[in-house]
Amino acid sequence: RSRDDTGAATKLQHEGWCGIIDHFEALFPKKYLRWWNLQGQPALVEIVRIEPPIELTRPGGAKDFRPVLHYRVIKGHIDEPKPLVMNPTNANSIAAIHGGKFSKWPGKQIVLFESTTDVWDEVLKKKLTKPCVRIRAPMNQAAGPAVS
């Protein structure tokens, strides 16, 4: 929550969005799913499709290519459901649950949840812990064999 000059909690609002999120990153609308869209709660989703990698510009200007996961919410709430840009950690999690053939993932269920990850900040020259979206198996489904 943000606070007004008296210290009372207030809602942060801007056009097209209203939520109670006290983190500077939430001030800037994003095209893809971010950790704050989960509102601190896990969401059960069904994978609809995986799009080919898109080009991203990373901090410092380096180019990266990442696939995009589209889903539909089954249970839970995601503030402004948006596609999820995949990373190797999340792709490995899905592979461990549903197998390494991503063509078989549509129709399968996963849980999206908020977590943290350690990243190296080139500007500050130190390791930072940042919030992120991670993936796990639904409660009624154990993960299969690990995929390398």
Side-chain angles (χ1 to χ4, degrees), residues 4 15 47 51 54 56 60 63 73-74 83 92 95 100 102 118 122 124 127 139-140 146:
D4 63 19
E15 184 178 331
I47 299 170
E51 285 185 355
I54 58 167
L56 300 172
K63 300 292 183 187
V73 178
I74 295 173
N92 282 331
F102 66 87
D118 291 332
E122 283 296 326
L124 299 175
K127 184 172 74 169
M139 293 285 201
N140 61 354

Side-chain angles (χ1 to χ4, degrees), residues 3-4 9 29 32 38 55 83 100 108 125 129-130:
R3 300 208 174 260
D4 63 19
Y32 298 103
L38 298 173
E55 183 177 337
K108 305 291 186 182
K125 301 293 185 204
T129 300
K130 297 188 127 202

Side-chain angles (χ1 to χ4, degrees), residues 25-46:
E25 287 187 60
L27 295 171
F28 306 96
K30 302 291 183 188
K31 181 178 177 181
Y32 298 103
L33 185 73
R34 297 296 306 235
W35 60 270
W36 63 79
N37 297 121
L38 298 173
Q39 299 180 344
Q41 299 296 317
L44 177 66
V45 302
E46 178 182 299

Side-chain angles (χ1 to χ4, degrees), residues 129-147:
T129 300
K130 297 188 127 202
C132 64
V133 176
R134 288 291 186 236
I135 293 171
R136 67 176 180 240
M139 293 285 201
N140 61 354
Q141 182 177 338
V147 176

